[in-house]
Every structure is written in structure tokens, then in C-alpha cells.
Amino acid sequence: MIAQSGLSHVSRRAAILALSCIVAAGALGAAPPARARATLVVTGGTVITMDAQRRVLSPGAVAINGTTIVAVDTPQAIAARYAAASVIQAGGTVVLPGLINTHGHAAMVMYRGLADDLVLMDWLQKYIFPAEAKTVSPELVRVGTRLAALEMLQSGTTLHTDMYYFEEEVAKATKEAGMRGVLGQTVIGFPVADAKTPAEGLARAERFMQAFRGDPLVTATVAPHSMYTVDAATLTATRDLARKYGVPLLTHLAETRGEVVESLQKHQLTPAAYLASLGFWDTPAVAAHGVHLSDEDIAILVKHRVALSHNPESNMKLASGAAPVTRSLAAGLIVGLGTDGAASNNDLDMFEAMRQAAFLHKLSEGDPTAASAQTVLEMATIGGAAALGMAGRLGSLEPGKLADLIVVSMDSARQTPMYNPVSHLVYASRGDDVRTTIVNGRVLMRDRRVLTLNAAAVLADARRLAAKVRAAVEPQAPQSSVAR
Ligand SMILES: [Zn+2]
């Protein structure tokens, strides 16, 4: 009975609709039903939404209007509802949210491969800090960040998190590339290229935060380097700055065992507990590394809603250890994924970071079910967005969210056959498989061609500047020992 009356209701509505269509057609000629406007539709690929239900549409389509995703549905449904100004045919590919890198030092691509195979403190104190003291300049940061942005767009990163010097140059280069950035001006306890004292660094950070306040692509913030390079008063001053501007505080935390031992000797507290004792965590923050965290430390971070940025490749290369990611996730910690700077990785490919994260935890925990493909893909997308306090706007493909997405080819020998797209993204794909990168509704790379940066000029500038870096670090080295 009920079903029957339902049917008659539907058929009555259909009759009315048909009648009104005939009337409309009679009045206007055969006008199609009005469709909503979309500036861009990406259609035909397997769409991995990373929404709350983790829906996968195969095939699916994403409709974008301006900077925002307006619909995610089947290709037929999107075609029926939207008139697109531009269409990207994505058949045979996987479409997913742009990858979010939660920790890095973009301009350090200029020190890529300069000093490898060293322990962290030797690497930092004998090579990286001296190299930076002699060569960091607005020009190096500008040229380096352009190079990093080129690499990131080519490998599907749509948002990068940065902690460096002359951060306004990072911001300008990031915007020039069309990327999104959460960018922290470094504050550190010794004289550096852009500030002679921590007070100068703080003033510089605030000027930077004012200059880019409200920017659609750049979140300008402050980055106290670590609890072992910044004094207590300066640490709390950075917290106050981040709070004043409503932006996440960025810092390094418990990267090495030595840092923890030194903190226990000096403060009788672990780094996480020491920072808690200062009230440093009383504002949203992202702590990079967290390799050496006790269960008590994890509880402190969870309590204060501090997010962790996990950097497996840097942690392995510097033999810092394996961060307790499985324990952290189980305790309710928000975990994002990062590459760290290219001096300790040595590339910015988030696909590689995902794969290495999965492998590292399987090996270190002696458990192949640890850090599944789904878990690390979450860390690189919605988890990263949550870590940065942006999960309401980024990290998944859903109506109302900002249109940051990538199209990944799945047609190489290495990716054939494909049974499970999430498995392939983590275990078989590389940054080079990214075909198209879209940020804020704008196509930044189409079919592997970056549209916002002149790739040849970016590479030439970097090579030219590398000669200066080499000369500054190795002044006595013969110019060409091989030729002689
Ligand atoms: Zn770092």
C-alpha cells in the first residue's frame, strides 16, 4: 500500500515535470535544463575523497567553482548538474586531496647533498649552521624556495610547512608558485643571518605575521627553533605571538636522545614536560619529530592538543630513531607527515615519505600491520590538515572545502595491475607519477608542466647560487681535483 502510494506520488511528479518541460521547450526552443556554473571539473578518475566515510568513487568527478569544491559525485551526475568552463579528463588516474607537508625548510634544498652520512650534531654544527651563517640571504631563500616549490608541485604537495630565515621571501616564492604555506619565521638563541638577537627575531616574526595576515594562501607564523636553542622567556614570547595572531606555533621537539638527556640534566624534565612547565603548549602547536617521547610526554601533547609532524626519512637518515607513531595515534595524538629539509632527506617527495613511514614502523615494531597504507595516506592528507588546524578547510575532497587536489597517473608498468588505489599510492607510486596539481581551484601543473614557475630559470638560478654555497663551505678545496 505504502509503496504503491509512493509510486503514484512519484509518477504524478514526473507527469508534472514532463508537462512543464514541454511548456518550457515550447516557449524557448529545446533549452537544456539549467546547470550550475563550475570553473573546473576533474572527471573520470578514481576519486579518493578522504572524507569522514573515506568514500572512494570509481569513477568519480570533482566540480570546482572558483577556489572551492562544490560537488564530488559520479561523472554522469556532475555532468548533469554542472556546466564546466574547463574540464580535465582523468580516466585511468587516481584523484586525491593534495599532499600536506607538515614540516620542512624549503630553502635548504640549496644544501641538498652538501653533507651526508653524519650524526645530527656534527651535521648541524660542523656543516649546516656554518654554511647557513655564510650563505643565508634573501636571495638564497628566494632561489631555494622557488626550487623547492617546483619540486613540491611536481610531486603533488599542495601545502608546505616551513621554518626558516627571511620567511617573507619564502612567502613570496610560495605565492608566486601558487602553493599554500604555513610559514614560520625562525626565532633562535644565537645570531643568525636575519636577526642578531632573539628580540630582533621576535620583532621580525611579528612584522612578517602582520604583512601576510589574512592572505588566502599563506598562514604566517613564528617558529622557535627548539627548546635547546631558545631561552624560556623567548619561548613564551613566541607562544604569545602565535596566540595573538591565531596561528599555529611551529617547533622541533625531542628529535634525538641527546636532546632528552640534556633536558633532563638541565631542567629535570623531558623536552615536552619542560615546554609544558613554561606554558608553551597553551596555544595550538605543531611539534616536529617527537622521536623520543615517553607515554607521559604523549599524554602531555594530547592534553594540550599539540600535533606531531612525523618525518620518517630525516629520522632514519640521521639515525635519530623511530617516532612512536602507533602509540601516539592510539593515544589520540594528531599526526601529520613531513619531509624535513632536503639537507636531511634529500628530497621533498611526500609519496616517498608515505612509503618510508609505513616501512619504518613495520620494521621498528616488528609488526607488518603497523602504519597501514590507509593510515599513512591519512597522515599525508586529512591528518596533516588537522595538525595545522585546517581540517575544516583542507585535507579531503568534499563540497565546501578549498580545491587543493592532485591527479596521479596509474598507467606505468610499476603500477600495473591496480587492485587497490590506496595501496598503489603508498607502495608503488612516486612523486613523478603526479600529472596535475591544483591549489585553490587553480591548475598549477598540467600534464607535468608547471605553469606558475619557469622551470629552466629556477634550475639555472639554483645551480648558479650553488657555486657560492660550495665556495663558502669549502674555501680550501681545489677547484677541480679530478681534472688534475
Ligand atoms: Zn626540521
Side-chain angles (χ1 to χ4, degrees), residues 358-423:
F359 290 173
L360 171 61
H361 299 292
K362 293 175 196 310
L363 180 69
S364 66
E365 293 172 33
D367 177 3
T369 69
S372 68
Q374 181 69 32
T375 299
V376 297
L377 184 62
E378 285 171 4
M379 282 164 43
T381 54
I382 190 70
L388 297 165
M390 300 169 107
R393 287 175 282 158
L394 294 171
S396 60
L397 303 181
E398 295 178 74
K401 285 208 173 178
L402 292 166
D404 291 10
L405 56 148
I406 58 175
V407 178
V408 182
S409 291
M410 282 290 163
D411 55 7
S412 70
R414 176 165 39 74
Q415 295 163 310
T416 304
M418 181 174 77
Y419 301 112
N420 176 343
V422 172
S423 164

Side-chain angles (χ1 to χ4, degrees), residues 278-311:
L278 300 179
F280 182 79
W281 301 129
D282 295 350
T283 198
V286 182
H289 301 305
V291 173
H292 298 279
L293 296 176
S294 65
D295 286 346
E296 293 74 27
D297 291 333
I298 292 170
I300 288 170
L301 300 183
V302 170
K303 181 181 159 204
H304 293 277
R305 308 185 127 269
V306 177
L308 186 69
S309 170
H310 176 43
N311 296 261

Side-chain angles (χ1 to χ4, degrees), residues 177-222:
M179 278 184 81
R180 224 177 273 288
V182 176
L183 312 177
Q185 166 65 39
T186 288
V187 174
I188 199 161
F190 50 82
V192 286
D194 65 353
K196 296 288 159 275
T197 62
E200 253 185 61
L202 280 168
R204 197 170 210 298
E206 182 154 20
R207 283 200 301 278
F208 169 63
M209 291 157 86
Q210 276 169 348
F212 289 89
R213 196 174 199 179
D215 190 277
L217 291 174
V218 167
T219 301
T221 185
V222 59

Side-chain angles (χ1 to χ4, degrees), residues 103 105 252 289 340:
H103 180 67
H105 315 279
H252 293 104
H289 301 305
D340 207 353

Side-chain angles (χ1 to χ4, degrees), residues 160-366:
H160 75 112
T161 310
D162 196 74
M163 299 170 61
Y164 213 55
Y165 309 104
F166 298 107
E167 202 66 29
E168 68 282 358
E169 296 294 341
V170 180
K172 283 188 237 165
T174 299
K175 284 172 67 66
E176 192 184 313
M179 278 184 81
R180 224 177 273 288
V182 176
L183 312 177
Q185 166 65 39
T186 288
V187 174
I188 199 161
F190 50 82
V192 286
D194 65 353
K196 296 288 159 275
T197 62
E200 253 185 61
L202 280 168
R204 197 170 210 298
E206 182 154 20
R207 283 200 301 278
F208 169 63
M209 291 157 86
Q210 276 169 348
F212 289 89
R213 196 174 199 179
D215 190 277
L217 291 174
V218 167
T219 301
T221 185
V222 59
H225 176 268
S226 64
M227 55 74 68
Y228 62 91
T229 52
V230 183
D231 64 71
T234 307
L235 285 168
T236 52
T238 59
R239 172 207 60 196
D240 293 343
L241 256 187
R243 189 186 278 159
K244 180 174 170 186
Y245 288 85
V247 289
L249 193 53
L250 308 176
T251 194
H252 293 104
L253 178 75
E255 183 175 358
T256 61
R257 187 162 309 280
E259 179 184 336
V260 179
V261 169
E262 198 183 302
S263 176
L264 287 168
Q265 282 168 354
K266 208 167 159 190
H267 309 290
Q268 292 73 54
L269 292 167
T270 62
Y274 168 69
L275 288 170
S277 77
L278 300 179
F280 182 79
W281 301 129
D282 295 350
T283 198
V286 182
H289 301 305
V291 173
H292 298 279
L293 296 176
S294 65
D295 286 346
E296 293 74 27
D297 291 333
I298 292 170
I300 288 170
L301 300 183
V302 170
K303 181 181 159 204
H304 293 277
R305 308 185 127 269
V306 177
L308 186 69
S309 170
H310 176 43
N311 296 261
E313 295 170 90
S314 172
N315 297 160
M316 284 193 278
K317 184 161 184 265
L318 294 167
S320 302
V325 164
T326 302
R327 269 193 292 135
S328 298
L329 287 169
L333 200 64
I334 299 166
V335 182
L337 197 60
T339 56
D340 207 353
S344 62
N345 183 322
N346 293 356
D347 63 41
L348 306 178
D349 184 346
M350 285 286 289
F351 284 85
E352 202 180 307
M354 287 196 284
R355 181 157 57 249
Q356 298 297 333
F359 290 173
L360 171 61
H361 299 292
K362 293 175 196 310
L363 180 69
S364 66
E365 293 172 33

